[in-house]
Amino acid sequence: MADEVVSPLRVAVADDALLLREGIQKVLEGGGVEVVAAVGTGDELLEVVRTNEVDVAVLDIRMPPSFRDEGIVALESLRATGSKIGVLLLSMYATPEYALRVMGAGSGTGYLLKERVSEPQTLVRAVETVADGGNVVDPEVVEQLVRRTRADDPLARLTDRERSVLELMAQGYSNGGIAQTLFLGLKTVETHVRSILQKLDLEESPEHHRRVLAVLTLLGAR
Amino acid sequence: MMAPGRKQRIVLRSAIIAGAVALSLAMEIAGYAATPVAERDEGSYIALHAMVPLVFAACAGVAWATGPAQLPARLMIAFVVLWIPQTIYRVIGDLGWFWPLVRGVDLGWAVVTGILVLVYPRGRLDGRFDRWIAGIALTATLINFLNVVLFAAPGPDTCACAPNVYQVADAPWLFETVDNAYRIIGVGLALAIAARLLVQWMRASVPARTVAFLMPVALFAWATTLAAQAVTYATATTADAVLRTISLIAIASVPVSFVAGISHARNMRARVADLMRITREGADRGLWAESLARTLRDASVRVYWWDEERAGYFDASGVAIEEIDTHGSHSVLPVASPLGVPIALIRHDRVLTDNMRLLDGVSSALRLSVDNGRLRSEVERTLEHVRQSRQRIVEAGVEARRRIERDLHDGAQQRLVSLGMGLRLAANRAAELGDERLAAALETAIDELAEGLRELRELAHGIHPSLLSAGGLALAVPELAGRCPVPIEIDVQAEGRLPEIVESTAYFAVAELLANVAKHSRATRGWVRAHIVDDELVLVVRDNGMGGASLDHGTGMLGIADRIDAVGGSLDLHSPAGAGTTVTLRIPLAHDPEHAPSSPSLVE
């Protein structure tokens, strides 16, 4: 914890709704994060990231000018210019297709429902995770994916415990995070993870975000 | 089936014709029998003479059968009765009260023939010239009749008969003068009629001449022989046998020409019916004028159409009408709608004016087809209007859904999220202050709010998924299928974005069809396939359920069909009982309401 006091995370926020922009700012600041800028569009955010030392960008997906997927477009252009800063996208809707696109942009990315601002710890932790190069996927998205019906349901082969582990994997948790959340030993989790990957025919990837993406893709596949 | 009235009429007419023929033959035979053998004419001449009224009688029958005009047939019957052989006086000569009456009308056949020619082809007297001629002829006939009855005495100019009981004075010079004058006037009138017909014929267009020539030629031949006869009569010499034979043939050809001409006009009317048929099929203007020329057998026919905008008449190629010389060989027939709105001018050969019924038929055909065309284009216009307004309504519906979703997103949803944040701060504060009950209550409120937000999210998504606006069908359809409890296999090959109205129409149709699959089909598998074929989005939604779906079973299928229809697409439902349901939707990518006719129609 001593590190954080020395250099708090520097975050830039972009949301066209002033109310939420300020709310997010307040929540983050309450969580010990320094908000260096709060802007209304993706372009402004890119400008802020270019001219400031920023660790994480927190972005609304739907922003002016077309109110479609400006946030993800901003993420993709950040990655295209080689920026490796953490990017956390916020959305009113839990859309698996967006989550896949966000994970597809690489490590240090996250996708959360906007209403998580009323769970300060979740939001702050997500910011910290993406700053560390981890990935975050909103549990609501994972739930939707798991709920999806399949003709040949690969999840049927999993035990209940494995299923819980898989859901946390999909949300972007590392093995350590899963162990912590489920009160299991790290070894146990690693065993579960191996078993899951084997049952679902997935390769263990050295890169964390590839694992998340693989799991999400599997869940989304039909 | 024949109407009783018509049958009666035919019987009556047949009786009249038979009676007239019998009378004529009786006169001929009686006269022949009463003539001493030495004084008889040649057999061939007598036979020819007897045949002339038979020709008239036959033509009367034809005229009655073909034309509605009664006058020509009646004139022909009158001719049969008035065709009195000169030998008749040998039979009735002893009847002093009778022969002068017969003698007074024994040239009536010539008058009747003249009037018959005058009423050709309309079946009535038209124009001042015709009425004058007829008036003069009838007046002269009346005077002649009185002259014969009151002054004729037995003699070489009349007959070797009993004394005339009506004779009031013995004035042979008066009788002879009037008698000769009557014949000369008759010849003059016959020549005038013949000349008029001839001039008319010479002016006529080639088609009109083909049949009409019979009449003036026959009449001219007859008038010539009549003149020759009048001269021989006046000079009291015996007429040449050849001349007399020609005369008979000429006279007999008059009714034949008459009925031939009428039949010709009748054929023309049949061609007007053809014209009607052609125009009903929506022929364009150029073709119509062509058909008209064919119908009227008049290549000089021109049709000029009324142009409301330019307030003038123009031909089919848009050339304005030139000054029509109505004094030349052409007449102009204006055609207007029943409300008096001008439709067209038909410039035609003047001779066609003689056939008003034909021209009436032509203008009716034109009027009808223009009316039809006008109605048709009105219906098409109305339909197009409805089609467009329906599309606008559908588009407005889509737009409204999008706006509601956006209002929810930017308004209620943001506020409630913000509220959640506020509640969270309050709950944390309450916990900090040690008010556990307040903190718990606030936690409950936060949970409630989260549930409310979740429901609102689903609602807004159902109204218009933001994913559709952002990612099109390629993203939105798989997401939609993911929500369906029946496993759905997806194949969306719609690269790039489609027009918004196409995307949203397709999306909501698939949404409803998948809802049907889930609710009604009892299917265990489903398939959604979307691909672009030419300029159409083709969507196939299929399931392996029980089938038997129809457009009127309250499954919303009709509503889908309506919306697809509104954007110019089509819905095809194939759902045999027990064999699954396949719905194929085709939506044009560029809805083009224009489908203008390829040729200019009769109506602009």
Side-chain angles (χ1 to χ4, degrees), chain B residues 109-263:
Chain B
W109 61 269
V111 178
V112 164
T113 309
I115 293 174
L116 182 61
V117 172
L118 279 181
V119 301
Y120 176 81
R122 274 156 287 185
R124 59 172 194 272
L125 290 172
D126 266 346
R128 217 186 317 168
F129 179 83
D130 292 356
R131 279 195 286 275
W132 265 104
I133 302 248
I136 291 169
L138 289 173
T139 310
T141 303
L142 185 65
I143 291 168
N144 179 60
F145 179 75
L146 293 174
N147 178 49
V148 171
V149 171
L150 299 181
F151 302 111
D157 278 355
T158 52
C159 59
C161 307
N164 177 3
V165 298
Y166 309 108
Q167 193 172 358
V168 292
D170 189 22
W173 57 270
L174 177 65
F175 171 74
E176 265 172 48
T177 308
V178 174
D179 196 32
N180 284 332
Y182 176 57
R183 282 159 200 270
I184 289 163
I185 287 170
V187 168
L189 292 179
L191 284 174
I193 293 168
R196 172 182 165 283
L197 271 186
L198 204 62
V199 168
Q200 207 175 50
W201 174 70
M202 305 238 298
R203 275 187 182 173
S205 55
V206 175
R209 288 182 194 184
T210 47
V211 168
F213 89 103
L214 268 175
M215 196 72 163
V217 166
L219 193 69
F220 217 70
W222 170 64
T224 316
T225 57
L226 200 64
Q229 275 182 308
V231 171
T232 57
Y233 177 82
T235 55
T237 52
T238 312
D240 180 64
V242 175
L243 203 60
R244 288 165 66 199
T245 308
I246 290 174
S247 171
L248 289 182
I249 292 169
I251 291 163
S253 65
V254 167
V256 174
S257 315
F258 196 103
V259 291
I262 297 286
S263 305

Side-chain angles (χ1 to χ4, degrees), chain B residues 526-548:
Chain B
W527 294 264
V528 175
R529 186 168 137 78
H531 50 127
I532 307 288
V533 178
D534 296 329
D535 289 332
E536 276 184 334
L537 169 66
V538 180
L539 274 169
V540 182
V541 179
R542 188 161 66 85
D543 68 53
N544 63 353
M546 61 180 192

Side-chain angles (χ1 to χ4, degrees), chain B residues 228-524:
Chain B
Q229 275 182 308
V231 171
T232 57
Y233 177 82
T235 55
T237 52
T238 312
D240 180 64
V242 175
L243 203 60
R244 288 165 66 199
T245 308
I246 290 174
S247 171
L248 289 182
I249 292 169
I251 291 163
S253 65
V254 167
V256 174
S257 315
F258 196 103
V259 291
I262 297 286
S263 305
H264 178 68
R266 210 174 142 85
N267 286 342
M268 279 186 152
R269 278 199 288 280
R271 290 200 303 275
V272 170
D274 285 350
L275 191 67
M276 288 265 197
R277 206 193 60 240
I278 290 165
T279 54
R280 200 177 48 226
E281 283 156 12
D284 68 50
R285 293 178 160 192
L287 190 65
W288 201 88
E290 236 174 74
S291 312
L292 181 64
R294 222 176 18 251
T295 302
L296 297 178
R297 302 266 157 91
D298 179 4
S300 66
V301 161
R302 294 284 178 278
V303 183
Y304 300 92
W305 307 91
W306 175 256
D307 186 325
E308 194 64 54
E309 262 172 53
R310 291 184 281 178
Y313 289 96
F314 298 87
D315 69 12
S317 51
V319 179
I321 190 171
E322 66 229 71
E323 199 59 46
I324 292 184
D325 179 16
T326 50
H327 302 292
S329 55
H330 288 101
S331 289
V332 168
L333 176 73
V335 182
S337 76
L339 294 175
V341 180
I343 293 172
L345 284 184
I346 299 174
R347 193 199 69 163
H348 58 83
D349 194 298
R350 183 174 280 281
V351 76
L352 290 173
T353 319
D354 293 343
N355 203 332
M356 272 325 288
R357 291 178 42 111
L358 176 65
L359 291 178
D360 278 353
V362 167
S363 21
S364 299
L366 184 56
R367 210 173 288 133
L368 198 65
S369 62
V370 166
D371 277 355
N372 275 351
R374 212 166 259 166
L375 279 177
R376 195 165 47 227
S377 67
E378 209 165 282
V379 167
E380 269 165 17
R381 222 175 14 245
T382 309
L383 206 60
E384 190 48 47
H385 185 76
V386 170
R387 211 176 278 139
Q388 283 178 358
S389 71
R390 192 172 57 163
Q391 192 185 355
R392 281 197 300 273
I393 289 169
V394 168
E395 280 168 352
V398 169
E399 179 53 36
R401 278 169 166 257
R402 226 161 41 110
R403 206 178 45 243
I404 291 169
E405 187 275 335
R406 193 163 157 176
D407 287 350
L408 283 176
H409 178 271
D410 295 348
Q413 282 177 305
Q414 307 270 26
R415 278 185 186 284
L416 291 178
V417 166
S418 180
L419 171 66
M421 214 152 51
L423 285 175
R424 166 59 57 201
L425 292 176
N428 288 355
R429 186 92 184 107
E432 275 172 31
L433 293 175
D435 192 337
E436 294 297 330
R437 282 178 59 196
L438 179 60
L442 285 170
E443 286 296 340
T444 312
I446 289 170
D447 288 347
E448 277 294 309
L449 183 64
E451 195 49 45
L453 266 170
R454 188 192 181 96
E455 283 174 12
L456 188 58
R457 201 161 57 221
E458 287 298 309
L459 178 69
H461 183 278
I463 290 170
H464 196 275
S466 61
L467 191 59
L468 180 62
S469 311
L473 291 176
L475 285 188
V477 169
E479 197 266 356
L480 194 56
R483 292 164 172 266
C484 184
V486 178
I488 305 291
E489 210 168 289
I490 298 285
D491 175 19
V492 178
Q493 303 286 339
E495 288 300 316
R497 297 301 299 275
L498 308 176
E500 198 186 345
I501 183 74
V502 175
E503 282 187 344
S504 69
T505 307
Y507 177 85
F508 288 110
V510 171
E512 237 168 293
L513 290 170
L514 288 182
N516 279 349
V517 170
K519 270 187 272 177
H520 307 290
S521 76
R522 296 191 207 153
T524 57

